[in-house]
Amino acid sequence: MDPDRFYTASIDGTVARQLYSDKEGIRRKVFLETNDWEKWYTGLDISFSSQLLVAGRNNGMVSLLSLEGEKVWDLKLHKTKCNFVQFSTRQPWMMVTSSVDRMVKIWDIRMIVSKDSALAVLPHDKPVNSAHFSLVSGDKLLTTDQHSQLRVYQGPSFINHITIPHPHRQFQHLTPIKATWHPLADIILAGRYPDPKFPSYEAGEKRTVDFFSGVSGEILLQLHQPGLDKIMSLSQVNPTGDLMLSSMAGCLLLWKVKPDTTDEEETSSHVEEDWPDFNPKQKRKR
């Protein structure tokens, strides 16, 4: 794996490899190009173990290529926009796609010949934004629809699932909310967009990042930064689990584990200010 190489899928209708060097800057090689402003790429994933790249398009087409750009196949796997694609890290031959046609499909990339070749088809009530394989065991699949459902399907059959009611309705000017997995435990995180029509809505609900158990669906934590009230559509935890990045409108929020200062407080009255709204209490003078 070359750390100076990265791949992009873009609204300009291209899938490209970017190669960076100190001497030459960025060199770009275009693998796929639609040459049509009404057709663009909406999703991309890489399997480094298989040396393959997959890209989804807004007309339901999905392309499989080598990491050097050689096309393996180019097939229409969904009726409409295929907005998410991902390889399984547990089974590199397994791939999932999701679409606004309300379908999530699981594939064996070695056996695909048409849209009817799917290993499993998972119908949803609303269009689907994403479908992520779990990072710990790889035997669970997390889906996010465009309204109020998170689902967790259990492999290998992906028939049984739990449904987690969660408000994250979609509208045109909002980055689609996509729930993701924590890398070290079967914990789900998803941005909340409070909805007065949602059954459990409470007045004054905050726009939080919600953490759920991927086994029971139980809510574990709601994370919120006072003073910031935008919707956090996307969040991602780093591989070691001690940092999380969230997108909020035109901003990025970097969260970190707050250090345990218990021992320090016993020997010192000095407390560092971690958050803008945090004001340590001053000791009264006697």
Side-chain angles (χ1 to χ4, degrees):
M1 185 167 57
D2 187 348
D4 295 324
R5 178 183 299 187
F6 59 96
Y7 298 83
T8 59
S10 175
I11 198 170
D12 69 1
T14 63
V15 171
R17 182 187 67 195
Q18 321 277 350
L19 186 61
Y20 175 80
S21 69
D22 293 333
K23 293 182 179 179
E24 301 181 38
I26 295 179
R27 288 180 293 155
R28 183 171 182 258
K29 180 180 178 181
V30 175
F31 290 168
L32 298 172
E33 191 167 17
T34 63
N35 294 308
D36 186 339
W37 286 109
E38 294 185 355
K39 296 177 182 177
W40 61 87
Y41 289 92
T42 53
L44 178 143
D45 195 29
I46 302 288
S47 171
F48 289 104
S49 60
S50 300
Q51 292 290 291
L52 291 171
L53 174 155
V54 63
R57 221 159 75 192
N58 71 325
N59 61 352
M61 298 294 293
V62 178
S63 301
L64 187 71
L65 304 90
S66 74
L67 294 188
E68 298 303 318
E70 299 167 342
K71 189 177 292 187
V72 179
W73 48 252
D74 190 37
L75 297 169
K76 188 173 179 65
L77 301 184
H78 287 275
K79 293 179 180 178
T80 54
K81 182 193 290 184
C82 175
N83 51 17
F84 190 86
V85 292
Q86 189 185 63
F87 290 109
S88 165
T89 54
R90 177 172 178 166
Q91 305 285 1
W93 49 264
M94 185 180 289
M95 178 185 78
V96 64
T97 60
S98 71
S99 171
V100 298
D101 66 7
R102 304 186 179 190
M103 297 294 176
V104 171
K105 298 183 179 183
I106 299 170
W107 311 86
D108 182 338
I109 60 173
R110 304 166 299 182
M111 306 294 290
I112 299 178
V113 293
S114 73
K115 63 182 178 61
D116 298 320
S117 304
L119 298 176
V121 178
L122 312 176
H124 284 63
D125 299 329
K126 299 289 183 180
V128 186
N129 284 337
S130 62
H132 288 271
F133 290 109
S134 58
L135 298 173
V136 176
S137 59
D139 65 343
K140 294 179 177 62
L141 183 71
L142 166 65
T143 68
T144 309
D145 76 354
Q146 290 189 359
H147 194 263
S148 58
Q149 284 189 4
L150 306 176
R151 295 187 186 182
V152 181
Y153 291 85
Q154 180 64 53
S157 65
F158 298 101
I159 295 174
N160 299 318
H161 72 275
I162 61 170
T163 299
I164 304 172
H166 182 260
H168 52 258
R169 64 195 186 281
Q170 178 71 20
F171 71 93
Q172 183 178 1
H173 302 294
L174 175 69
T175 298
I177 292 174
K178 299 178 181 180
T180 56
W181 292 99
H182 192 285
L184 305 180
D186 282 336
I187 293 175
I188 297 161
L189 44 149
R192 173 178 287 259
Y193 181 15
D195 183 358
K197 297 179 181 179
F198 192 68
S200 61
Y201 175 78
E202 295 180 4
E205 271 190 21
K206 294 180 172 60
R207 294 171 172 179
T208 55
V209 177
D210 298 341
F211 292 71
F212 296 92
S213 165
V215 177
S216 67
E218 176 189 3
I219 191 162
L220 306 174
L221 173 71
Q222 290 186 291
L223 190 63
H224 175 255
Q225 173 55 41
L228 300 177
D229 63 352
K230 303 294 184 182
I231 300 165
M232 292 177 277
S233 295
L234 304 173
S235 292
Q236 188 78 42
V237 179
N238 72 331
T240 54
D242 55 351
L243 293 172
M244 185 177 80
L245 195 65
S246 299
S247 67
M248 176 188 282
C251 303
L252 291 175
L253 277 64
L254 182 63
W255 309 84
K256 65 178 180 178
V257 176
K258 192 171 183 179
D260 185 359
T261 57
T262 304
D263 294 337
E264 294 178 9
E265 289 175 353
E266 291 177 357
T267 58
S268 172
S269 61
H270 173 71
V271 180
E272 290 189 4
E273 189 169 331
D274 283 339
W275 304 106
D277 66 311
F278 177 69
N279 294 310
K281 295 180 179 179
Q282 301 294 326
K283 289 186 176 181
R284 293 181 180 177
K285 294 182 179 179
R286 294 182 179 178

